[in-house]
Amino acid sequence: MRERRSRTGLWWQNRDFRLFWIGETVSMVGTQVTALALPLTAILVLDSSTEQVGLLRMAQLLPYLLLSLLFGALADRMPRRPLMVGANAVRLVLIGLVPILAVTGQLSLGWLYVVTAGVGVAAVMFDVCWVSYVPTIVADHTRLIEANSRIGAADAAAHIGGPGLAGVLVNILTAPIALVVNAASYAVSIAMLLQIRAREVKPERSDTPRNLRTELGEGLRWVFGNPLLRILAILGACYNFFLMFIQTVFLVYAVRELSLSTAVIGGILSSGAVGGLIGAASAQAAARRFGVGRVYVACASVSFSSWIVVPAAGGPTVVLTAVLVAVFLLSAVAMGATNVIVVSLRQTLTPDTLMARMNAVMRMLMLGVAALGGPVGGGLATVIGLRPALWVAAGASILAFVVFFPRRILHLTELPEPAATR
């Protein structure tokens, strides 16, 4: 029997989802503080070059390329909540190490690489698990868009408050000390996860020994054998590559060529992310009215094309800031809705026994390829300049969407029945 709906919605009806949402929201805010404070630590405290900042981004995302498949196979063999708790404990310790090193005078770029890579490894484990864990606490698949919409809205809200909070904290406390906020946020997330009561279904034991290589192959075949999952993976990888490319170059470009303060940069990112909140919160209603496929294609087209305005923006600081806010706002509206649709499709197209491996393949492609965006962007910017590099990335992003246009998804009106029930 499906869970009865009421005006209060899933957040009030489902205690476990509420706990998960609260913990994730707090940790997402902390993560956004680190997303700005950590590279600013490299730029402002250690006087790092564009290439070094790009390598720092790569250190964070490279574990997705190297470890996603392995962690996905492991997560399909055991309960996912303990793995998420352990991953957040590792992130708490590593992020908390940076301000300690700074205070004691031991902070170096080498330490930042080590911490960033370690946090990236833990993030891989958590991200592989959480998308698979949500259907456990939200039993009715028809409410997955609602659940993912709320999680996406929380992520967007974190993007709104996180960079602005980071900019203020960096100005007051310095960049390394601002990272204490993120360390504390992981403690809150751990506390929320430990209170969830929903029991996970234990994977069935096989009479024959389990072969890791075979299990990894099953995950790859599932994603690339399904036309919808395959195109979602390809487009996601392309978008994240160019996003990381542009973010890496833009941060240095904003500081060194546009001469924007850290507070203004944080304000641009925060104001733009208001769109993410709008997009995620409206995804359910938009999909119901226009169809899942049309919403995805329309929003993805905006996400891939909006960055062309970034290198074109100029003029007085007030005008420049307003234009950049508008670009980040529009892009975030589109990507907020797109992410909700993508995650919901992935969850319904995949049975629970393959869920973590499917997510692992997706993460490996989308974020592993994104890991290359930072160093490629930093290297290209060093050779041809910051603004020309932004032009190249924006144009290539549009071309990628045209080449891999998702025709198969366009005519999808609603979420399919869950794979396990077919």
Side-chain angles (χ1 to χ4, degrees), residues 54 96 106 114 128 140 165 183 193 237 252-253 256 289 303-304 307 313 342 368 400:
Q106 302 298 313
V114 170
V128 163
D140 185 353
L165 176 61
L193 286 170
V252 181
Y253 174 68
R256 295 184 176 164
R289 180 172 182 179
S303 299
F304 274 86
W307 300 117
V342 168

Side-chain angles (χ1 to χ4, degrees), residues 13 68 110 129 144 182 234 241 248 250 252 331 365 414 418:
Q13 293 176 353
S68 287
C129 291
L144 283 176
N182 192 15
I234 292 172
F241 173 84
T248 299
F250 174 75
V252 181
S331 177
L365 292 172
E414 59 185 14

